[in-house]
Amino acid sequence: MSSAPCGQGAEVSFGPAVPGGDPRFPRPADHDPCPCGSGSEFGGCCGPVLRGSPAPTAERLMRSRYTAFVVGDARYLAKTWHPGTKPDAIELDPAQRWTGLEIIDVEAGGSADSRGVVEFRASWRHGRDTGMLRERSRFRRQGERWWYVDGAIG
């Protein structure tokens, strides 16, 4: 995710459930369901990726970045944002809660691809306000590493 509307109209960027995480955000245990909605446990899904294992596909990177928003891991978001498009700062609002992710479309982004696109919907809650962010995100693989490049919100 590149940015999402907050209940008060501010923007919040998408990428610690790992040591150094912000205690104001939820912290899933490895046996808990992964926040990305894959159906897997956090310790077998986004947990290892947030801890430094490379995401094997663009979709896995997108799911791990969504999870980073859920758990408040701005360092991971910065680390996985392409240096050519990364903002100077990523500030996450602990009052913003990401409540669900739905993958709509995936184009390329596999282990043999150099580019990929993932379209998704992410639900959020901020106080009494709720909403949905829809984004078509672009990813680039360089070497064995996937990067989030940017996204079109729509």
Side-chain angles (χ1 to χ4, degrees):
M1 282 197 252
S2 62
S3 62
C6 212
Q8 299 158 334
E11 288 195 347
V12 177
S13 292
F14 212 53
V18 294
D22 188 325
R24 298 172 299 170
F25 290 86
R27 308 276 304 219
D30 279 350
H31 64 273
D32 289 338
C34 192
C36 80
S38 67
S40 297
E41 292 183 346
F42 177 70
C45 191
C46 291
V49 180
L50 290 175
R51 293 180 191 113
S53 294
T57 65
E59 180 180 347
R60 283 289 303 276
L61 181 61
M62 206 259 36
R63 286 182 177 278
S64 69
R65 287 177 56 84
Y66 169 84
T67 298
F69 272 97
V70 171
V71 302
D73 193 344
R75 280 188 305 196
Y76 178 79
L77 293 170
K79 189 172 87 173
T80 58
W81 208 313
H82 192 277
T85 58
K86 179 174 66 173
D88 292 335
I90 299 171
E91 294 184 26
L92 302 176
D93 181 353
Q96 177 97 24
R97 294 291 185 220
W98 294 97
T99 58
L101 175 67
E102 176 189 359
I103 303 297
I104 299 167
D105 187 33
V106 177
E107 293 178 12
S111 59
D113 299 314
S114 61
R115 298 180 188 276
V117 175
V118 180
E119 185 173 350
F120 65 90
R121 279 192 288 255
S123 344
W124 55 267
R125 179 177 34 88
H126 191 277
R128 293 181 181 201
D129 296 329
T130 60
M132 181 96 47
L133 167 74
R134 184 170 180 154
E135 180 174 314
R136 190 163 181 81
S137 300
R138 294 187 314 138
F139 297 86
R140 179 177 302 153
R141 186 168 60 89
Q142 295 174 313
E144 298 300 312
R145 180 175 183 171
W146 281 100
W147 297 89
Y148 168 77
V149 177
D150 59 20
I153 296 175

